[in-house]
Amino acid sequence: MEILWVLIALVMLGFVVLPFLRRRRGAVGLVPPGHPDAADPANYGFAREEELDVRMPGPDQDLLDVLDLVQRTQDYRAAQQLLAGTDADGELRWQRVQAFAGAASLELAQRPGGVSEAPGGQWLRVWRTEAPKDAGGAAVHAEFLVQQAWRTATPGTDAFRIIMEEARTASGEAALLAPGDPVPYIVELSVARGLGYSQQDFEQLWLKILDRAPAHMGAHLAALQYWCEKWHGSRQLAYSFAKAAAARAPQGSLLAAMPLFAVFEHLPEVTLVAGFYQSEVVSKAIHGALHAVHSARPDDPMLAHVRHMLVFFLVRAERWAEAMSQLIHIDGHVGALPWTLSADPAAEFAVYRALAVAGYEANGGSPATLPH
């Protein structure tokens, strides 16, 4: 009987692994570095794994410069000025609020402080103390509390609920300081997921965001989490939410890519169907995301997020050339889904990139044939 179970397990493993390694002419396999058949991502100008930036999905040099200055000097004023000069209803403000909050949270985790040492992220505390009416600092503080809850406590515990309740209060205060800013309400979307808002309460919160920024992609991605099966919704509710967003997406909006993110959130734990990533539902979602990418402004802050997700699906669907076309735009930064779900985002991204390069070259591609 034990032998039978082993054989069944081997068959299941074959279903999972073989489709991923197949290609149109033979098999894409792993060979030792330096082997004549080894595909080298460096030939395409791609960054080495250790050079990949895990902080952001794409370049934002102004943010990087300010983050470096703030963390080096522990002076919040550069961050305050950057947020003050960032459009309140744009995607970039939300991303920068997340980045500042994440930096403070990570600092605190690395330097919790003690008798003779100030805790990490002290600049954020000083910011809130010295400029309590500053809307940017209030939003960063609310998001900091949200990230602290997810980072340091387990959902459902008293510790988690206490921090989330504090985050809800902080997001409300931030909203009062900037009535037209959607960011405090986007912060509360995560609070709603963590505290388990009723669907009616969540809808009321969502309407406040739609009133302020109806096409905000970051807000839609945050709201999608609530409707997922693993939280307070279902596969059907998540798909409906994503499809409705795509259907009302204005010209040039990346909301048309929302179904691809809904598919990702409901991927089966084990894929036993060889053609799952070539199935109609996945192919339609990929098509919508590709259309969104081609129609979006080149400087859209959410464009990199969609390209990263496309790389994941295009590699799994063995659409090597299309995957490479996305990689040339995003390589160097890996701070986005799906890589950030891994304990080592850079390594996870590097595996998919290597598979894309190998598949591309196995089908006749080369650096010379890759359009830029």
Side-chain angles (χ1 to χ4, degrees):
M1 189 64 179
E2 290 182 0
I3 294 177
L4 178 61
W5 282 114
V6 170
L7 290 174
I8 292 174
L10 289 173
V11 170
M12 292 178 68
L13 183 62
F15 275 117
V16 176
V17 175
L18 289 178
F20 193 64
L21 297 181
R22 283 189 305 113
R23 65 172 177 83
R24 295 173 181 81
R25 287 180 283 165
V28 176
L30 296 177
V31 295
H35 189 281
D37 294 332
D40 187 358
N43 292 337
Y44 296 83
F46 292 152
R48 295 196 301 269
E49 181 180 328
E50 60 271 22
E51 296 173 339
L52 295 171
D53 192 327
V54 301
R55 295 171 295 180
M56 297 184 300
D60 184 348
Q61 194 58 49
D62 288 342
L63 174 60
L64 287 178
D65 291 343
V66 169
L67 268 175
D68 177 67
L69 179 62
V70 169
Q71 293 184 308
R72 182 162 37 83
T73 65
Q74 291 295 296
D75 187 334
Y76 68 87
R77 285 174 293 184
Q80 181 184 33
Q81 292 170 3
L82 183 64
L83 284 183
T86 306
D87 289 342
D89 60 349
E91 306 281 356
L92 199 58
R93 182 177 177 84
W94 170 230
Q95 291 190 18
R96 287 174 171 176
V97 165
Q98 286 182 297
F100 287 131
S105 180
L106 187 59
E107 277 187 44
L108 183 58
Q110 294 172 340
R111 300 195 314 276
V115 177
S116 59
E117 180 187 37
Q122 184 67 21
W123 54 269
L124 178 55
R125 296 178 182 83
V126 176
W127 188 355
R128 293 297 294 130
T129 301
E130 294 186 353
K133 300 299 183 183
D134 181 64
V140 172
H141 179 237
E143 174 63 15
F144 166 80
L145 290 169
V146 166
Q147 294 195 27
Q148 280 296 100
W150 293 111
R151 187 189 298 273
T152 64
T154 302
T157 63
D158 288 343
F160 182 84
R161 177 169 290 277
I162 289 170
I163 303 174
M164 276 297 187
E165 290 286 2
E166 189 178 353
R168 173 158 60 181
T169 300
S171 62
E173 293 171 353
L176 290 175
L177 291 171
D181 187 352
V183 168
Y185 299 100
I186 301 174
V187 173
E188 193 179 349
L189 290 175
S190 189
V191 175
R193 176 163 55 97
L195 294 181
Y197 281 23
S198 68
Q199 291 189 3
Q200 181 179 1
D201 288 343
F202 187 86
E203 289 281 12
Q204 291 177 355
L205 171 61
W206 182 239
L207 287 175
K208 294 177 182 178
I209 294 172
L210 292 183
D211 286 343
R212 291 161 175 81
H216 200 291
M217 179 73 172
H220 279 78
L221 289 176
L224 176 65
Q225 290 293 318
Y226 177 90
W227 294 114
C228 286
E229 191 173 60
K230 61 188 176 184
W231 287 106
H232 308 294
S234 64
R235 180 189 301 265
Q236 181 179 358
L237 286 172
Y239 279 19
S240 295
F241 175 80
K243 289 177 180 177
R248 66 171 182 269
Q251 180 64 30
S253 168
L254 287 164
L255 288 178
M258 284 298 298
L260 189 66
F261 287 85
V263 170
F264 175 77
E265 294 295 342
H266 295 86
L267 288 176
E269 292 292 333
V270 178
T271 304
L272 298 180
V273 180
F276 173 79
Y277 288 93
Q278 292 90 21
S279 65
E280 183 178 3
V281 64
V282 176
S283 295
K284 281 186 175 180
I286 291 175
H287 177 76
L290 286 171
H291 173 74
V293 164
H294 293 151
S295 304
R297 301 188 329 268
D299 62 345
D300 191 316
M302 294 303 294
L303 187 55
H305 287 269
V306 180
R307 290 191 189 277
H308 280 288
M309 188 59 71
L310 273 168
V311 168
F312 173 87
F313 277 97
L314 290 170
V315 167
R316 291 214 167 196
E318 300 175 17
R319 296 165 62 167
W320 313 115
E322 291 170 291
M324 291 293 287
S325 294
Q326 301 305 317
L327 281 168
I328 61 176
H329 292 287
I330 58 172
D331 189 76
H333 298 84
V334 294
L337 287 174
W339 327 120
T340 50
L341 296 178
S342 169
D344 189 342
E348 186 78 0
F349 173 83
V351 167
Y352 277 77
R353 185 179 63 182
L355 285 168
V357 170
Y360 181 65
E361 293 187 353
N363 285 275
S366 70
T369 61
L370 183 64
H372 286 75

